[in-house]
Amino acid sequence: MTHRLPPAQLRRQWIFSTLFLAGAGYLLYLVLRGPMTDRTTLVAGLCIPMLTIGGIAQLNAVFTSVSFDQRELWWTGLLGFRKRFAWADVTNVEVVKKSDRANAPEIVRVTHRVRGAYDLPVLFGLPGSWRDPAFEAKAAHLIATWRAATAAVTADGRS
């Protein structure tokens, strides 16, 4: 089973990545075009990397996916990273609020026996119109798969 961002969230990621990268490109054009005051050059020098990093982060979310089967969970992204956990090494899978705010998104958090807790990048429930209507079903399926896999390991006598 593989999950990606729903279409509404994908559109949002594409729009923001385009805006951030276009803004960085425009500021770079202004810097290279001609004379600027020291203050403007400093602001552009700070904003160009921030906008570029923000655009790449937004673009990374477009290509990120979370996959799982009966044996393991893994997720990949644009920048080539891949995290892979065997279900036997996962101690907890839960849906939690990202922060204490009332409108904070719900996220799926996976706790690895050695590596600690990770928030899955694609499985999150945003408040309002950006919410994935299938978030609860996706999270429940992931949790059920984890429980079935860990129950099978426990039944085999391994821990």
Side-chain angles (χ1 to χ4, degrees):
M1 172 70 57
T2 299
H3 296 296
R4 297 188 186 284
L5 289 177
Q9 291 177 10
L10 281 174
R11 279 191 303 276
R12 184 184 74 160
Q13 297 300 118
W14 277 112
I15 290 168
F16 282 113
S17 66
T18 302
L19 289 174
F20 287 175
L21 293 173
Y26 180 69
L27 287 175
L28 183 62
Y29 165 75
L30 290 177
V31 168
L32 297 176
R33 185 183 68 163
M36 299 176 76
T37 65
D38 291 340
R39 177 182 273 170
T40 308
T41 304
L42 177 65
V43 169
L46 293 174
C47 288
I48 291 171
M50 288 173 42
L51 287 170
T52 303
I53 290 169
I56 291 172
Q58 297 289 326
L59 199 57
N60 184 38
V62 170
F63 296 102
T64 299
S65 65
V66 172
S67 302
F68 60 93
D69 58 17
Q70 288 77 23
R71 293 174 294 141
E72 60 188 356
L73 163 73
W74 66 96
W75 60 95
T76 59
L78 170 70
L79 302 177
F81 74 88
R82 175 174 273 184
K83 295 276 188 202
R84 184 177 292 267
F85 296 155
W87 286 125
D89 295 331
V90 174
T91 59
N92 193 20
V93 179
E94 61 185 339
V95 176
V96 297
K97 286 284 222 177
K98 188 158 178 83
S99 67
D100 293 333
R101 293 187 341 243
N103 63 345
E106 296 171 317
I107 54 174
V108 176
R109 180 168 292 151
V110 175
T111 306
H112 188 269
R113 181 184 321 265
V114 176
R115 297 181 185 169
Y118 288 88
D119 298 338
L120 294 182
V122 175
L123 295 175
F124 52 87
L126 295 173
S129 63
W130 298 111
R131 186 166 185 84
D132 180 3
F135 168 73
E136 286 81 8
K138 290 176 182 178
H141 186 239
L142 177 73
I143 292 169
T145 302
W146 167 69
R147 285 186 178 148
T150 54
V153 168
T154 306
D156 289 344
R158 297 178 291 170
S159 59

